[in-house]
Amino acid sequence: MKKIINFSKAFLPCTILSAVLIVSGIFRIATKGINFGIDFKPGLIEEIRIAPTAMELSYSGSAKLTIDTAETGIDIIISGSGAENRTETFTYESNATVGELAAALNKIEGLSAKAVLPANTSSSGLFVNSAVGNVITENSFRVYGATDASVTIDDVRSAVESVKGAAVKALGTGMNVSYQIRVADSGEAGSSKNLQDSIVKALEGKFGADKVAVVKTDFIGSQFSKSLVGQSVALVLATLFLIWLYATIRFHWDFAMGSVLAVIHDALIMISFIAWIQMEFSTTTLAAVLTIIGYSINATVVILDRIRANMKLIDTKKFNDIINASLTDTLSRSIITTITTLFAVCSLYIFATGSIKDFALALIVGLISGCYSSIYISNAFVSAMRRKWTPESGIHHSLPKVKKMPVAEDAE
């Protein structure tokens, strides 16, 4: 007969451990707070790159010239009244250096291109400043080259230290690294534009006006951020209620409450972890929490379903015997499911960048917590509620009568 593992011995210690971890998370939130992302608080996020100007362009014709940069090359879109609407494509493969690319661009009537970097510099990875748009006019229009590798994140932080509350994070690596600068917004009229100007001026003052390019700018207002916070809380509460309702219909109230406590436990453990490492809490992180809630309830329902079945199969006066036998039956399933999922999530964490990396890290913590809570937290509650259980009391949901089998002795 298969050896039964005595999981119930660890119910109390595991409950105490979880309580300590959750209380420590609450303490951290009360003292340090949660590092809310731009989705949950008003503010500005600006992604910038510190890179030298590779070429300067100007256009004196009557048409409208627009430049689009990509990984493989650049496109010049010619449009407007009196012009033949067309797109000229210049690949980096055919124009391997800045000098060759400038010479090719000069063939377009009215367009003047001058290489600023040495003519033999690689043309790969050129980009434009989103803050000034991508329309080429008579004024000097800058096209930037690869990121200046000598610039570090500490250099950027020191440059924007005059901007109150500015937080800097590096995105990407090597020649494609960019810097995400986040600043809280006061909500006053024109404050967003002032913040953008302050950040750019601070960076230009340190690195030079010809080396600072804005890649992307995002802004969220205070009204929208408050609404999003409220909607997120309502979403989580609605999810928990629907899980409780489903488990109550399928099982019994104590089984349902045990499953809900398990998913609440997992959510609190993830939030505590996020608070301790000060990971940015964004809509991506919220998605990770909701994903784990769904994952955890699935694992818990499998175990509770086995407990319900074993109540008709196992002849014992101790409900913990049924719990231990059920957890032993489903242990390999719980471990294998968690480990195989972790393989995919760990790969995502290792190879991804930015918010996806944070999403994967939150999932790793949630997967481990979900497996643990499905075994110990939910069943600890059910065990406590069934202390006075007797075989005659059964459960409200009937199952086909099966010959009862004797339970094996608990493994010490």
Side-chain angles (χ1 to χ4, degrees):
M1 184 175 291
K2 183 166 64 174
K3 187 176 182 180
I4 305 299
I5 303 173
N6 193 355
F7 289 94
S8 58
K9 279 188 174 181
F11 284 168
L12 182 59
C14 288
T15 302
I16 294 173
L17 173 63
S18 294
V20 170
L21 292 175
I22 292 171
V23 169
S24 70
I26 294 173
F27 172 79
R28 178 69 170 179
I29 293 171
T31 55
K32 184 71 175 178
I34 296 178
N35 181 23
F36 283 110
I38 190 69
D39 298 333
F40 293 100
K41 65 180 182 181
L44 171 76
I45 285 185
E46 198 157 52
E47 185 180 340
I48 59 95
R49 288 179 67 176
I50 308 300
T53 299
M55 291 190 302
E56 289 185 348
L57 309 178
S58 63
Y59 178 65
S60 58
S62 59
K64 178 181 178 181
L65 257 62
T66 305
I67 181 172
D68 282 341
T69 57
E71 292 183 1
T72 57
I74 66 174
D75 292 331
I76 301 294
I77 299 95
I78 304 173
S79 60
S81 58
E84 180 183 350
N85 294 340
R86 69 184 193 275
T87 299
E88 299 283 351
T89 299
F90 302 87
T91 64
Y92 298 138
E93 184 178 359
S94 301
N95 305 277
T97 66
V98 172
E100 292 175 357
L101 183 59
L105 290 171
N106 280 322
K107 294 178 181 180
I108 297 178
E109 185 178 355
L111 179 62
S112 173
K114 182 180 70 174
V116 177
L117 290 177
N120 60 352
T121 303
S122 173
S123 60
S124 180
L126 298 181
F127 66 100
V128 298
N129 188 344
S130 67
V132 299
N134 59 353
V135 177
I136 305 173
T137 63
E138 294 179 356
N139 300 321
S140 179
F141 184 94
R142 294 191 180 101
V143 179
Y144 297 84
T147 299
D148 188 345
S150 65
V151 177
T152 66
I153 189 170
D154 291 331
D155 295 331
V156 178
R157 283 173 177 156
S158 65
V160 297
E161 62 183 3
S162 59
V163 182
K164 185 178 179 181
V168 182
K169 181 170 70 173
L171 303 176
T173 57
M175 305 300 286
N176 294 318
V177 67
S178 60
Y179 300 96
Q180 184 187 80
I181 303 174
R182 188 183 67 190
V183 187
D185 181 34
S186 63
E188 298 177 359
S191 59
S192 175
K193 183 65 169 61
N194 293 335
L195 285 174
Q196 294 179 55
D197 293 341
S198 299
I199 292 171
V200 172
K201 287 179 180 178
L203 293 170
E204 289 179 347
K206 185 175 181 66
F207 302 110
D210 60 339
K211 294 186 68 175
V212 178
V214 178
V215 178
K216 183 174 63 175
T217 301
D218 291 323
F219 176 77
I220 186 168
S222 58
Q223 188 63 37
F224 179 78
S225 63
K226 291 177 182 177
S227 174
L228 189 59
V229 170
Q231 291 174 359
S232 301
V233 173
L235 178 63
V236 173
L237 293 178
T239 302
L240 293 175
F241 172 76
L242 291 174
I243 288 173
W244 172 82
L245 184 63
Y246 159 76
T248 302
I249 294 172
R250 181 165 181 177
F251 300 109
H252 191 242
W253 77 267
D254 53 351
F255 280 32
M257 188 57 66
S259 63
V260 170
L261 287 176
V263 296
I264 292 175
H265 165 274
D266 297 335
L268 291 177
I269 289 293
M270 291 179 70
I271 292 173
S272 298
F273 175 78
I274 290 168
W276 272 107
I277 69 170
Q278 285 295 288
M279 179 194 296
E280 183 178 273
F281 192 91
S282 62
T283 50
T284 304
T285 316
L286 176 63
V289 173
L290 293 174
T291 300
I292 291 303
I293 287 177
Y295 176 90
S296 178
I297 191 61
N298 178 66
T300 304
V301 163
V302 170
I303 295 172
L304 294 179
D305 200 51
R306 183 57 62 91
I307 292 174
R308 183 178 65 171
N310 282 341
M311 289 174 66
K312 296 291 183 179
L313 298 174
I314 298 176
D315 186 11
T316 180
K317 293 184 178 180
K318 294 182 180 179
F319 195 77
N320 279 351
D321 291 340
I322 298 175
I323 291 178
N324 291 330
S326 302
L327 289 173
T328 302
D329 291 341
T330 56
L331 180 61
S332 60
R333 183 263 180 200
S334 299
I335 293 176
I336 291 172
T337 302
T338 301
I339 290 177
T340 51
T341 309
L342 277 173
F343 283 152
V345 176
C346 287
S347 299
L348 194 63
Y349 175 73
I350 293 170
F351 297 108
T353 58
S355 60
I356 299 300
K357 194 178 187 72
D358 291 342
F359 174 78
L361 180 58
L363 281 183
I364 291 172
V365 175
L367 286 170
I368 297 172
S369 175
C371 182
Y372 160 83
S373 67
S374 297
I375 295 173
Y376 291 106
I377 302 304
S378 63
N379 291 289
F381 178 81
V382 174
S383 174
M385 294 298 102
R386 297 272 174 157
R387 283 178 299 178
K388 298 181 180 179
W389 177 87
T390 61
E392 292 75 21
S393 64
I395 193 167
H396 290 287
H397 294 265
S398 61
L399 289 170
K401 292 185 178 180
V402 183
K403 183 180 177 180
K404 295 183 178 181
M405 303 294 293
V407 67
E409 293 183 359
D410 291 348
E412 297 297 333

